[in-house]
Amino acid sequence: MRLGRLLAPAGISTIVVMNSSAPELQGVQTVPLHPVPSVLLTALGRQSDLSLEFQTKSVEVFSNSLFHGIVSESVAGTTAPTPVFSSTSNTGPVIVGATVQAGLAPASAFGLNVNGQPASRAIDHL
């Protein structure tokens, strides 16, 4: 029951389940509902690292508590990755010896420079 753990390395912070082709806005627009199978919502609700943050007839939004940013680092001996970048910057310090993970697609279109030098690359496929 750890879907959030599997999605976090890909940079996924939120799962939005649409029960219609557009959000229903009370007093503004109504939309025909096309509910997703209830087994999907039951399965998402049972995930220990996802929480239902918002719900209407047309949309349900689940938050991933294990999201650690699009780019994170892991250090040997630690249990969880930590964000490298702040919400306002795409640069930041990296701990010496850390492994950097980036949830960017396509992975071949991005590179990592450390002190102006390209870092070695390893691509993991989920």
PDB file of all heavy atoms in Angstrom, residues 52-76:
ATOM      1  N   LEU A  52      -6.631  11.943   0.656  1.00  0.00           N
ATOM      2  CA  LEU A  52      -7.634  12.669  -0.106  1.00  0.00           C
ATOM      3  C   LEU A  52      -7.670  14.099   0.401  1.00  0.00           C
ATOM      4  O   LEU A  52      -7.990  14.356   1.557  1.00  0.00           O
ATOM      5  CB  LEU A  52      -9.007  12.004   0.041  1.00  0.00           C
ATOM      6  CG  LEU A  52     -10.149  12.622  -0.756  1.00  0.00           C
ATOM      7  CD1 LEU A  52      -9.870  12.553  -2.256  1.00  0.00           C
ATOM      8  CD2 LEU A  52     -11.454  11.899  -0.432  1.00  0.00           C
ATOM      9  N   GLU A  53      -7.323  15.053  -0.468  1.00  0.00           N
ATOM     10  CA  GLU A  53      -7.226  16.459  -0.081  1.00  0.00           C
ATOM     11  C   GLU A  53      -8.440  17.271  -0.513  1.00  0.00           C
ATOM     12  O   GLU A  53      -8.762  18.273   0.100  1.00  0.00           O
ATOM     13  CB  GLU A  53      -5.973  17.090  -0.682  1.00  0.00           C
ATOM     14  CG  GLU A  53      -4.690  16.495  -0.170  1.00  0.00           C
ATOM     15  CD  GLU A  53      -4.442  16.770   1.293  1.00  0.00           C
ATOM     16  OE1 GLU A  53      -4.755  17.877   1.763  1.00  0.00           O
ATOM     17  OE2 GLU A  53      -3.940  15.865   1.986  1.00  0.00           O
ATOM     18  N   PHE A  54      -9.088  16.850  -1.602  1.00  0.00           N
ATOM     19  CA  PHE A  54     -10.195  17.621  -2.156  1.00  0.00           C
ATOM     20  C   PHE A  54     -11.114  16.662  -2.892  1.00  0.00           C
ATOM     21  O   PHE A  54     -10.645  15.760  -3.577  1.00  0.00           O
ATOM     22  CB  PHE A  54      -9.642  18.679  -3.125  1.00  0.00           C
ATOM     23  CG  PHE A  54     -10.684  19.551  -3.751  1.00  0.00           C
ATOM     24  CD1 PHE A  54     -11.305  20.550  -3.018  1.00  0.00           C
ATOM     25  CD2 PHE A  54     -11.037  19.378  -5.075  1.00  0.00           C
ATOM     26  CE1 PHE A  54     -12.270  21.360  -3.603  1.00  0.00           C
ATOM     27  CE2 PHE A  54     -11.994  20.181  -5.669  1.00  0.00           C
ATOM     28  CZ  PHE A  54     -12.613  21.183  -4.930  1.00  0.00           C
ATOM     29  N   GLN A  55     -12.429  16.880  -2.749  1.00  0.00           N
ATOM     30  CA  GLN A  55     -13.384  15.979  -3.393  1.00  0.00           C
ATOM     31  C   GLN A  55     -14.650  16.731  -3.765  1.00  0.00           C
ATOM     32  O   GLN A  55     -15.203  17.478  -2.950  1.00  0.00           O
ATOM     33  CB  GLN A  55     -13.719  14.825  -2.442  1.00  0.00           C
ATOM     34  CG  GLN A  55     -14.660  13.806  -3.010  1.00  0.00           C
ATOM     35  CD  GLN A  55     -14.877  12.653  -2.046  1.00  0.00           C
ATOM     36  OE1 GLN A  55     -14.841  12.836  -0.834  1.00  0.00           O
ATOM     37  NE2 GLN A  55     -15.083  11.474  -2.584  1.00  0.00           N
ATOM     38  N   THR A  56     -15.065  16.571  -5.018  1.00  0.00           N
ATOM     39  CA  THR A  56     -16.367  17.039  -5.494  1.00  0.00           C
ATOM     40  C   THR A  56     -16.970  15.898  -6.292  1.00  0.00           C
ATOM     41  O   THR A  56     -16.363  14.828  -6.419  1.00  0.00           O
ATOM     42  CB  THR A  56     -16.236  18.291  -6.395  1.00  0.00           C
ATOM     43  OG1 THR A  56     -15.583  17.926  -7.614  1.00  0.00           O
ATOM     44  CG2 THR A  56     -15.486  19.414  -5.702  1.00  0.00           C
ATOM     45  N   LYS A  57     -18.137  16.129  -6.882  1.00  0.00           N
ATOM     46  CA  LYS A  57     -18.737  15.094  -7.727  1.00  0.00           C
ATOM     47  C   LYS A  57     -17.888  14.818  -8.962  1.00  0.00           C
ATOM     48  O   LYS A  57     -17.860  13.698  -9.456  1.00  0.00           O
ATOM     49  CB  LYS A  57     -20.143  15.493  -8.168  1.00  0.00           C
ATOM     50  CG  LYS A  57     -21.161  15.497  -7.056  1.00  0.00           C
ATOM     51  CD  LYS A  57     -22.561  15.699  -7.594  1.00  0.00           C
ATOM     52  CE  LYS A  57     -22.678  17.050  -8.276  1.00  0.00           C
ATOM     53  NZ  LYS A  57     -24.047  17.369  -8.693  1.00  0.00           N
ATOM     54  N   SER A  58     -17.159  15.823  -9.439  1.00  0.00           N
ATOM     55  CA  SER A  58     -16.441  15.672 -10.704  1.00  0.00           C
ATOM     56  C   SER A  58     -14.947  15.391 -10.559  1.00  0.00           C
ATOM     57  O   SER A  58     -14.306  14.966 -11.520  1.00  0.00           O
ATOM     58  CB  SER A  58     -16.642  16.915 -11.566  1.00  0.00           C
ATOM     59  OG  SER A  58     -16.115  18.058 -10.930  1.00  0.00           O
ATOM     60  N   VAL A  59     -14.374  15.614  -9.382  1.00  0.00           N
ATOM     61  CA  VAL A  59     -12.928  15.441  -9.234  1.00  0.00           C
ATOM     62  C   VAL A  59     -12.574  15.030  -7.803  1.00  0.00           C
ATOM     63  O   VAL A  59     -13.239  15.416  -6.847  1.00  0.00           O
ATOM     64  CB  VAL A  59     -12.181  16.742  -9.624  1.00  0.00           C
ATOM     65  CG1 VAL A  59     -12.474  17.858  -8.656  1.00  0.00           C
ATOM     66  CG2 VAL A  59     -10.685  16.524  -9.744  1.00  0.00           C
ATOM     67  N   GLU A  60     -11.513  14.222  -7.694  1.00  0.00           N
ATOM     68  CA  GLU A  60     -10.948  13.850  -6.394  1.00  0.00           C
ATOM     69  C   GLU A  60      -9.437  14.017  -6.481  1.00  0.00           C
ATOM     70  O   GLU A  60      -8.827  13.582  -7.449  1.00  0.00           O
ATOM     71  CB  GLU A  60     -11.340  12.426  -6.033  1.00  0.00           C
ATOM     72  CG  GLU A  60     -12.823  12.370  -5.678  1.00  0.00           C
ATOM     73  CD  GLU A  60     -13.417  10.994  -5.824  1.00  0.00           C
ATOM     74  OE1 GLU A  60     -13.847  10.664  -6.920  1.00  0.00           O
ATOM     75  OE2 GLU A  60     -13.424  10.288  -4.820  1.00  0.00           O
ATOM     76  N   VAL A  61      -8.861  14.679  -5.492  1.00  0.00           N
ATOM     77  CA  VAL A  61      -7.436  15.000  -5.520  1.00  0.00           C
ATOM     78  C   VAL A  61      -6.761  14.326  -4.324  1.00  0.00           C
ATOM     79  O   VAL A  61      -7.129  14.574  -3.176  1.00  0.00           O
ATOM     80  CB  VAL A  61      -7.204  16.526  -5.479  1.00  0.00           C
ATOM     81  CG1 VAL A  61      -5.714  16.835  -5.486  1.00  0.00           C
ATOM     82  CG2 VAL A  61      -7.908  17.208  -6.649  1.00  0.00           C
ATOM     83  N   PHE A  62      -5.758  13.500  -4.621  1.00  0.00           N
ATOM     84  CA  PHE A  62      -4.985  12.804  -3.596  1.00  0.00           C
ATOM     85  C   PHE A  62      -3.578  13.404  -3.557  1.00  0.00           C
ATOM     86  O   PHE A  62      -2.959  13.623  -4.593  1.00  0.00           O
ATOM     87  CB  PHE A  62      -4.880  11.309  -3.915  1.00  0.00           C
ATOM     88  CG  PHE A  62      -6.179  10.575  -3.817  1.00  0.00           C
ATOM     89  CD1 PHE A  62      -7.064  10.560  -4.887  1.00  0.00           C
ATOM     90  CD2 PHE A  62      -6.523   9.896  -2.663  1.00  0.00           C
ATOM     91  CE1 PHE A  62      -8.266   9.884  -4.809  1.00  0.00           C
ATOM     92  CE2 PHE A  62      -7.724   9.213  -2.566  1.00  0.00           C
ATOM     93  CZ  PHE A  62      -8.593   9.206  -3.650  1.00  0.00           C
ATOM     94  N   SER A  63      -3.073  13.654  -2.368  1.00  0.00           N
ATOM     95  CA  SER A  63      -1.738  14.212  -2.175  1.00  0.00           C
ATOM     96  C   SER A  63      -0.768  13.104  -1.790  1.00  0.00           C
ATOM     97  O   SER A  63      -1.098  12.231  -0.988  1.00  0.00           O
ATOM     98  CB  SER A  63      -1.795  15.269  -1.077  1.00  0.00           C
ATOM     99  OG  SER A  63      -0.510  15.784  -0.843  1.00  0.00           O
ATOM    100  N   ASN A  64       0.434  13.149  -2.350  1.00  0.00           N
ATOM    101  CA  ASN A  64       1.475  12.168  -2.065  1.00  0.00           C
ATOM    102  C   ASN A  64       2.360  12.700  -0.936  1.00  0.00           C
ATOM    103  O   ASN A  64       3.140  13.627  -1.138  1.00  0.00           O
ATOM    104  CB  ASN A  64       2.305  11.911  -3.329  1.00  0.00           C
ATOM    105  CG  ASN A  64       3.371  10.862  -3.132  1.00  0.00           C
ATOM    106  OD1 ASN A  64       3.580  10.361  -2.035  1.00  0.00           O
ATOM    107  ND2 ASN A  64       4.065  10.540  -4.210  1.00  0.00           N
ATOM    108  N   SER A  65       2.264  12.111   0.244  1.00  0.00           N
ATOM    109  CA  SER A  65       3.039  12.583   1.396  1.00  0.00           C
ATOM    110  C   SER A  65       4.535  12.322   1.246  1.00  0.00           C
ATOM    111  O   SER A  65       5.338  12.924   1.955  1.00  0.00           O
ATOM    112  CB  SER A  65       2.538  11.928   2.685  1.00  0.00           C
ATOM    113  OG  SER A  65       2.786  10.536   2.659  1.00  0.00           O
ATOM    114  N   LEU A  66       4.931  11.453   0.324  1.00  0.00           N
ATOM    115  CA  LEU A  66       6.347  11.141   0.144  1.00  0.00           C
ATOM    116  C   LEU A  66       6.991  11.928  -0.992  1.00  0.00           C
ATOM    117  O   LEU A  66       8.161  11.717  -1.316  1.00  0.00           O
ATOM    118  CB  LEU A  66       6.532   9.641  -0.088  1.00  0.00           C
ATOM    119  CG  LEU A  66       6.107   8.772   1.096  1.00  0.00           C
ATOM    120  CD1 LEU A  66       6.327   7.306   0.785  1.00  0.00           C
ATOM    121  CD2 LEU A  66       6.845   9.169   2.356  1.00  0.00           C
ATOM    122  N   PHE A  67       6.250  12.851  -1.586  1.00  0.00           N
ATOM    123  CA  PHE A  67       6.811  13.698  -2.638  1.00  0.00           C
ATOM    124  C   PHE A  67       7.978  14.485  -2.059  1.00  0.00           C
ATOM    125  O   PHE A  67       7.877  15.085  -0.996  1.00  0.00           O
ATOM    126  CB  PHE A  67       5.739  14.652  -3.166  1.00  0.00           C
ATOM    127  CG  PHE A  67       6.254  15.677  -4.130  1.00  0.00           C
ATOM    128  CD1 PHE A  67       6.683  15.295  -5.382  1.00  0.00           C
ATOM    129  CD2 PHE A  67       6.308  17.013  -3.783  1.00  0.00           C
ATOM    130  CE1 PHE A  67       7.171  16.233  -6.282  1.00  0.00           C
ATOM    131  CE2 PHE A  67       6.776  17.963  -4.673  1.00  0.00           C
ATOM    132  CZ  PHE A  67       7.207  17.572  -5.925  1.00  0.00           C
ATOM    133  N   HIS A  68       9.105  14.490  -2.741  1.00  0.00           N
ATOM    134  CA  HIS A  68      10.304  15.161  -2.238  1.00  0.00           C
ATOM    135  C   HIS A  68      10.899  16.087  -3.285  1.00  0.00           C
ATOM    136  O   HIS A  68      12.108  16.321  -3.302  1.00  0.00           O
ATOM    137  CB  HIS A  68      11.347  14.149  -1.756  1.00  0.00           C
ATOM    138  CG  HIS A  68      11.527  12.990  -2.688  1.00  0.00           C
ATOM    139  ND1 HIS A  68      12.078  13.104  -3.932  1.00  0.00           N
ATOM    140  CD2 HIS A  68      11.175  11.699  -2.549  1.00  0.00           C
ATOM    141  CE1 HIS A  68      12.083  11.912  -4.522  1.00  0.00           C
ATOM    142  NE2 HIS A  68      11.547  11.049  -3.707  1.00  0.00           N
ATOM    143  N   GLY A  69      10.042  16.619  -4.121  1.00  0.00           N
ATOM    144  CA  GLY A  69      10.502  17.540  -5.147  1.00  0.00           C
ATOM    145  C   GLY A  69      10.849  16.814  -6.424  1.00  0.00           C
ATOM    146  O   GLY A  69      10.981  15.596  -6.453  1.00  0.00           O
ATOM    147  N   ILE A  70      10.988  17.591  -7.468  1.00  0.00           N
ATOM    148  CA  ILE A  70      11.341  17.021  -8.770  1.00  0.00           C
ATOM    149  C   ILE A  70      12.780  16.519  -8.748  1.00  0.00           C
ATOM    150  O   ILE A  70      13.112  15.524  -9.350  1.00  0.00           O
ATOM    151  CB  ILE A  70      11.161  18.072  -9.888  1.00  0.00           C
ATOM    152  CG1 ILE A  70       9.709  18.570  -9.937  1.00  0.00           C
ATOM    153  CG2 ILE A  70      11.583  17.541 -11.239  1.00  0.00           C
ATOM    154  CD1 ILE A  70       8.696  17.525 -10.312  1.00  0.00           C
ATOM    155  N   VAL A  71      13.643  17.223  -8.032  1.00  0.00           N
ATOM    156  CA  VAL A  71      15.045  16.817  -7.908  1.00  0.00           C
ATOM    157  C   VAL A  71      15.357  16.645  -6.424  1.00  0.00           C
ATOM    158  O   VAL A  71      15.124  17.542  -5.628  1.00  0.00           O
ATOM    159  CB  VAL A  71      15.996  17.865  -8.536  1.00  0.00           C
ATOM    160  CG1 VAL A  71      17.441  17.435  -8.391  1.00  0.00           C
ATOM    161  CG2 VAL A  71      15.649  18.098  -9.992  1.00  0.00           C
ATOM    162  N   SER A  72      15.851  15.464  -6.070  1.00  0.00           N
ATOM    163  CA  SER A  72      16.166  15.179  -4.666  1.00  0.00           C
ATOM    164  C   SER A  72      17.517  14.478  -4.579  1.00  0.00           C
ATOM    165  O   SER A  72      18.070  14.054  -5.585  1.00  0.00           O
ATOM    166  CB  SER A  72      15.070  14.312  -4.044  1.00  0.00           C
ATOM    167  OG  SER A  72      15.015  13.055  -4.706  1.00  0.00           O
ATOM    168  N   GLU A  73      18.010  14.375  -3.351  1.00  0.00           N
ATOM    169  CA  GLU A  73      19.276  13.678  -3.134  1.00  0.00           C
ATOM    170  C   GLU A  73      19.113  12.655  -2.013  1.00  0.00           C
ATOM    171  O   GLU A  73      18.302  12.833  -1.108  1.00  0.00           O
ATOM    172  CB  GLU A  73      20.396  14.652  -2.800  1.00  0.00           C
ATOM    173  CG  GLU A  73      20.234  15.366  -1.479  1.00  0.00           C
ATOM    174  CD  GLU A  73      21.356  16.357  -1.200  1.00  0.00           C
ATOM    175  OE1 GLU A  73      22.381  16.335  -1.900  1.00  0.00           O
ATOM    176  OE2 GLU A  73      21.197  17.142  -0.260  1.00  0.00           O
ATOM    177  N   SER A  74      19.873  11.587  -2.142  1.00  0.00           N
ATOM    178  CA  SER A  74      19.908  10.550  -1.110  1.00  0.00           C
ATOM    179  C   SER A  74      21.348  10.372  -0.679  1.00  0.00           C
ATOM    180  O   SER A  74      22.261  10.385  -1.500  1.00  0.00           O
ATOM    181  CB  SER A  74      19.379   9.216  -1.648  1.00  0.00           C
ATOM    182  OG  SER A  74      18.054   9.348  -2.066  1.00  0.00           O
ATOM    183  N   VAL A  75      21.528  10.199   0.611  1.00  0.00           N
ATOM    184  CA  VAL A  75      22.858   9.979   1.166  1.00  0.00           C
ATOM    185  C   VAL A  75      22.847   8.612   1.834  1.00  0.00           C
ATOM    186  O   VAL A  75      21.873   8.251   2.504  1.00  0.00           O
ATOM    187  CB  VAL A  75      23.211  11.092   2.189  1.00  0.00           C
ATOM    188  CG1 VAL A  75      24.587  10.865   2.783  1.00  0.00           C
ATOM    189  CG2 VAL A  75      23.119  12.455   1.542  1.00  0.00           C
ATOM    190  N   ALA A  76      23.912   7.853   1.649  1.00  0.00           N
ATOM    191  CA  ALA A  76      24.007   6.531   2.261  1.00  0.00           C
ATOM    192  C   ALA A  76      23.739   6.618   3.755  1.00  0.00           C
ATOM    193  O   ALA A  76      24.236   7.527   4.424  1.00  0.00           O
ATOM    194  CB  ALA A  76      25.391   5.929   2.001  1.00  0.00           C
TER     195      ALA A  76
END
